[in-house]
Amino acid sequence: MPNSPSTAASHHHDAVALTDRTDDRPVYVIGGGPGGLAAAAALRARGVRAVVLEKSDRVGASWRGHYDRLRLHTTRRWSALPGLKMPRRFGRWVGRDDVVRYLEKYTEHHGLEVVTGVEVTRIDPAPDGSGDWQLTATGGRVLRGRAVVVATGFNHTPRVPRWPGSETFTGELVHAAGYRNPAPYADRDVLVVGIGNTGAEIAADLAEGGASRVRIAVRTAPHIVRRSTAGVPAQAAGILVRHVPVWLVDRASGVLSRVASPDLTGHGLPRPTTGLYSRTKKGAIPVQDVGLVAAVKAGRVTPVATVASFDKDTVVLADGTRLTPDAVITATGYDRALEPLLGHLDVLDGQGRPVTHGGRSPKGAPGLYFTGFTNPISGMLRELALDAEKIAKRVARTGAGRSARG
């Protein structure tokens, strides 16, 4: 059994020695974010040896790159991963840096085997027909595991639409993944494209942080909810409604919205015409208000039509309006980018998402598991914790525990 790490800094094994450690065919977990670490800890708790492969040099790499003011929209209590609570000192809504600290502590607490600097580029069934999995990784490594958990993340590769003329734009054009804080945008005219949670929060951040003008391009009016109402977090409702008929949730949320949320139609942001839960089922999570509503009401953030094209220094909107912002920040989402890794295995749907998640393997691919590729209304981290336990239970039950750690 390899030595368990004693400090957060010592959990990084030597990547070169990795191939020497595969004779007992562990379960490989691809990705050292919350989903991968949770799965590894749950597996280890059941006596299954799990090795986490992380392409960057540290765990929680994507969290380290998020913008400064980011806080979880889910409560501290419902955001903890299996086997370790988040400290009370983090507060109810945990900030980005504390999430990173928690992931480092989580790795240390559970003595997880994390190998950094190794990127898996392809997953295949082992060629000998044994039912094992073969991983091709950087440095010419070929690894063999009893099972594989893919946890490379929901927000993997920034997605920037190919607007006509965008290559001619003379201003600054950056994806939200590159945004950290409003300081570089002081006294500048900024257009934020996309009104999901990221776009809404960046727009509010810019308005509070000194941008001279902030506009937000809206394709579809979002459902905007309070993070908590009378002390009850929106996440609680999200958990409760998971098993309630969609039409009933749509109707109830519509009534609640008219009572709890101001009508911003006069400010260019009408109420949505489709139901909240219907939209959520299609992947459009409600926007939790952390400053956008007040900024729109005060005129510090102006909603405008969606972007149609670019023309040198000009952004042309769908309604024909022409703007000349200094900078455009695109909060237009991410791609999972799983096709190079396992597109040949027939385990992805038409949108590049895994056809299963949690404790179920895709048909024809036993021992292959996915976590972190859904964005549920009940909270991403809570779902990752549930997935981890389901995966570990299934793996242990199907015999992958034969390579148990002592």
Side-chain angles (χ1 to χ4, degrees):
M1 163 175 145
N3 293 327
S4 294
S6 57
T7 68
S10 66
H11 63 254
H12 302 148
H13 292 292
D14 179 7
V16 176
L18 178 60
T19 47
D20 301 333
R21 200 178 282 120
T22 58
D23 55 342
D24 60 350
R25 307 194 323 281
V27 174
Y28 281 110
V29 180
I30 306 174
L37 298 178
L43 286 162
R44 194 180 191 283
R46 283 178 166 79
V48 179
R49 182 172 170 227
V51 177
V52 179
L53 306 176
E54 167 55 45
K55 69 177 181 180
S56 75
D57 61 347
R58 293 175 291 181
V59 298
S62 64
W63 280 93
R64 297 172 193 275
H66 287 316
Y67 49 93
D68 295 350
R69 76 173 260 164
L70 178 68
R71 290 187 172 274
L72 294 179
H73 291 164
T74 53
T75 64
R76 180 187 72 249
R77 176 183 158 206
W78 284 330
S79 300
L81 303 178
L84 185 66
K85 292 181 179 179
M86 286 189 171
R88 289 183 66 88
R89 69 177 183 276
F90 285 0
R92 193 180 201 194
W93 311 105
V94 182
R96 179 200 64 185
D97 291 348
D98 282 333
V99 172
V100 171
R101 291 187 188 98
Y102 173 74
L103 295 178
E104 291 175 339
K105 181 65 177 177
Y106 190 84
T107 303
E108 177 190 344
H109 175 81
H110 287 293
L112 302 181
E113 277 189 80
V114 178
V115 185
T116 57
V118 173
E119 181 176 8
V120 178
T121 54
R122 187 178 168 99
I123 300 173
D124 291 287
D128 60 5
S130 63
D132 287 352
W133 288 91
Q134 180 173 290
L135 280 60
T136 304
T138 48
R141 299 179 186 86
V142 178
L143 313 174
R144 186 174 179 131
R146 295 179 183 276
V148 177
V149 181
V150 181
T152 49
F154 192 82
N155 296 343
H156 188 275
T157 302
R159 182 197 308 136
V160 179
R162 295 185 176 181
W163 289 291
S166 59
E167 70 282 356
T168 72
F169 185 54
T170 54
E172 178 184 342
L173 178 61
V174 62
H175 189 273
Y179 177 86
R180 292 295 173 269
N181 58 63
Y185 302 96
D187 301 319
R188 297 174 73 191
D189 182 334
V190 186
L191 173 66
V192 178
V193 183
I195 196 168
N197 276 294
T198 297
E201 190 156 0
I202 287 176
D205 199 29
L206 289 164
E208 295 165 15
S212 63
R213 184 168 193 174
V214 182
R215 284 172 282 213
I216 187 162
V218 181
R219 182 196 302 171
T220 306
H223 285 274
I224 301 176
V225 300
R226 292 182 175 181
R227 192 161 59 179
S228 63
T229 303
V232 179
Q235 185 186 7
I239 293 169
L240 289 172
V241 305
R242 290 297 295 277
H243 305 293
V244 177
V246 172
W247 68 267
L248 189 59
V249 180
D250 281 350
R251 184 174 295 178
S253 62
V255 172
L256 180 63
S257 174
R258 284 189 288 276
V259 172
S261 302
D263 186 355
L264 300 174
T265 302
H267 298 277
L269 200 58
R271 292 192 188 279
T273 55
T274 50
L276 182 149
Y277 203 22
S278 296
R279 291 272 297 281
T280 299
K281 286 288 190 180
K282 295 179 181 178
I285 296 298
V287 171
Q288 292 204 9
D289 180 33
V290 288
L292 179 71
V293 169
V296 169
K297 287 177 71 175
R300 297 197 308 273
V301 172
T302 305
V304 296
T306 192
V307 172
S309 63
F310 287 75
D311 182 13
K312 296 176 182 156
D313 66 342
T314 302
V315 180
V316 183
L317 304 182
D319 62 2
T321 304
R322 298 174 71 87
L323 310 176
T324 53
D326 300 310
V328 175
I329 300 173
T330 65
T332 45
Y334 294 79
D335 291 320
R336 286 0 118 216
L338 290 169
E339 288 82 1
L341 190 65
L342 36 71
H344 56 288
L345 296 177
D346 195 27
V347 296
L348 304 177
D349 66 15
Q351 294 177 283
R353 300 171 304 192
V355 294
T356 62
H357 69 276
R360 292 184 299 127
S361 295
K363 185 177 180 180
L368 180 63
Y369 301 94
F370 297 89
T371 182
F373 296 99
T374 60
N375 195 9
I377 195 172
S378 53
M380 172 79 80
L381 290 172
R382 179 178 181 273
E383 203 69 19
L384 292 176
L386 295 173
D387 273 358
E389 298 289 5
K390 291 174 187 173
I391 291 169
K393 188 175 181 181
R394 177 62 64 89
V395 169
R397 196 168 70 216
T398 54
R402 289 195 300 274
S403 60
R405 292 181 56 152

